[in-house]
Amino acid sequence: MRTTLAPEMGGCRVLGQVLGGWRRGPRVHVAPETAGFGTKARHQLQPRGSSKWFRPVGNQPFPGLLRPQSLSREELVDVLKVAVVDQKGPLVTLNKPQGLPVTGKPGELTLLSVLPELSQSLGLGEKELQVVRASGKETSGLVLLSSCPQTASRLQKFFTHSQRAGRPTATYCAVTDGIPATSEGKIRAALKLEHMDGVNLVVPVKSPSRKDILEGVKKTISHFRVVATSSGCALVQLQPLTVFPSQLPVHMVLELCPVLGDHTYSARVGTVLGQRFLLPAESTKPRRQVLDEALLRRLRLTPSQAAQLPLHLHLHRLHLPGTRPQDAPIELLAPLPSYFSRTLQCLGLHYQ
């Protein structure tokens, strides 16, 4: 089997060869405040079972947060079984925990590395699962898996055609430190990957030339909509119209409103006398996100706890084609992580 990888917004899309079909998937209710863009979910599907590897809600600062580095392969398979929200035909849909990488170096524990065991555990026998679409390591949310390469190929063509036509298929939910200047709009930026201090970082490029485009600079676009604001923060829905690594966190930094838990790019936003401005990306090193004292009090976090704040970016909705051309599109919705819901409650962010 040949597997192809393409970069996603902070994650990846993994697609295979051709063989199989498609059946209508689930509708999974998020929360009323994040159902998004006027969409109403019909019913709710919760992950099956329970897990001892997720932190309890209680008084924990980040309830439900997974620590994948402490898991064995068998334990990770059990976690992923719990995260499955629907299994129909060749398609398996799960709600990926934050912090779990999709791909990695040989020998690393990733989603891709345990797919053979997960396929067996879900009773698929010789039909090994492939990743069709997934959020990145630091992003939580929907993951599409398929045991049928033809289904993966069909969806790849759908995603590619939708992107070329400027039709968004994915909606992310984010909490930002800061409130965008406008309630809705498009963020446009030319981006490139640059190797800095031993890591690959995304850097904006002003007025890219034709040579820049040929050398890997990509013009990117994201649509954003502010759903609610409170305590100097915003609940924002993001729809990427292009595909580039870390596109959404970088776009929100360009709006001077970094995503909560962004410990890579938030340092590019400086403040002087209460006014925010962009620091040069090329000379600004990644560091732990710094939140002001008032926000820490609202979040009920100490500075040391805030340094461990997970990225509040969740792939919560996907639009897919129906089984046949005459069928209505399929909508998949994934519940928010518990720590994400706690943050919304602490900040008083509600759908308006």
Side-chain angles (χ1 to χ4, degrees):
M1 180 185 72
R2 179 173 59 86
T3 301
T4 309
L5 289 89
E8 192 64 82
M9 283 59 63
C12 66
R13 190 189 310 159
V14 185
L15 301 140
Q17 294 175 320
V18 177
L19 188 97
W22 171 259
R23 291 182 60 187
R24 187 171 180 82
R27 282 178 174 268
V28 184
H29 182 59
V30 185
E33 62 267 27
T34 58
F37 295 111
T39 300
K40 295 182 180 178
R42 303 277 179 149
H43 62 272
Q44 181 172 357
L45 291 175
Q46 292 291 349
R48 300 186 295 226
S50 60
S51 177
K52 63 182 179 181
W53 301 285
F54 291 85
R55 288 187 171 184
V57 176
N59 294 319
Q60 295 287 343
F62 312 124
L65 187 63
L66 180 71
R67 299 297 184 189
Q69 63 272 19
S70 64
L71 302 179
S72 66
R73 292 181 66 88
E74 293 76 15
E75 289 171 337
L76 179 56
V77 171
D78 288 339
V79 166
L80 294 176
K81 285 183 65 178
V82 171
V84 171
V85 293
D86 194 75
Q87 182 180 350
K88 287 183 179 178
L91 185 71
V92 174
T93 308
L94 59 85
N95 192 5
K96 185 185 80 69
Q98 192 272 350
L100 175 63
V102 178
T103 62
K105 298 177 182 178
E108 289 184 349
L109 193 60
T110 65
L111 172 63
L112 197 61
S113 72
V114 298
L115 285 185
E117 293 99 316
L118 182 62
S119 302
Q120 292 290 329
S121 182
L122 294 176
L124 297 175
E126 299 298 321
K127 298 179 180 180
E128 185 176 319
L129 288 167
Q130 304 170 57
V131 180
V132 179
R133 187 155 184 167
S135 50
K137 176 182 177 180
E138 303 303 329
T139 307
S140 60
L142 286 167
V143 169
L144 297 181
L145 305 173
S146 177
S147 60
C148 171
Q150 185 174 345
T151 298
S153 178
R154 177 164 150 355
L155 289 172
Q156 178 186 26
K157 292 177 182 177
F158 168 75
F159 289 133
T160 301
H161 180 74
S162 297
Q163 181 184 337
R164 290 174 178 171
R167 292 194 300 266
T169 57
T171 301
Y172 291 73
C173 186
V175 178
T176 62
D177 175 20
I179 300 172
T182 59
S183 61
E184 188 170 359
K186 288 183 179 178
I187 306 168
R188 303 173 186 269
L191 303 177
K192 69 175 179 179
L193 276 172
E194 191 165 297
H195 197 70
M196 301 168 61
D197 296 324
V199 296
N200 289 321
L201 296 174
V202 178
V203 176
V205 178
K206 292 183 178 180
S207 305
S209 65
R210 182 178 179 84
K211 181 182 178 182
D212 290 330
I213 300 299
L214 292 174
E215 292 179 351
V217 174
K218 181 168 182 176
K219 294 180 179 179
T220 61
I221 308 174
S222 298
H223 178 267
F224 73 92
R225 176 174 177 256
V226 178
V227 176
T229 62
S230 179
S231 307
C233 295
L235 172 61
V236 181
Q237 288 175 333
L238 296 163
Q239 292 182 316
L241 301 177
T242 52
V243 175
F244 199 81
S246 300
Q247 176 176 315
L248 296 179
V250 171
H251 277 187
M252 293 316 298
V253 163
L254 294 177
E255 288 291 303
L256 303 178
C257 299
V259 177
L260 277 185
D262 179 0
H263 303 295
T264 302
Y265 299 104
S266 62
R268 296 177 182 177
V269 178
T271 306
V272 172
L273 299 176
Q275 298 298 314
R276 296 190 176 196
F277 62 95
L278 282 177
L279 294 166
E282 293 82 359
S283 60
T284 305
K285 295 183 178 181
R287 60 177 170 80
R288 293 293 181 182
Q289 188 175 36
V290 178
L291 305 177
D292 63 42
E293 293 183 3
L295 182 53
L296 288 176
R297 286 196 297 269
R298 288 300 302 266
L299 293 173
R300 300 197 292 273
L301 297 176
T302 65
S304 61
Q305 289 172 333
Q308 304 302 317
L309 190 70
L311 187 70
H312 281 54
L313 183 64
H314 179 74
L315 175 50
H316 77 93
R317 186 172 71 176
L318 281 174
H319 281 295
L320 305 177
T323 309
R324 299 166 298 180
Q326 64 269 30
D327 290 343
I330 299 164
E331 183 178 71
L332 304 176
L333 295 171
L336 293 172
S338 297
Y339 64 84
F340 201 120
S341 298
R342 176 192 182 274
T343 295
L344 296 181
Q345 293 174 351
C346 290
L347 296 176
L349 290 170
H350 304 286
Y351 181 72
Q352 299 176 351

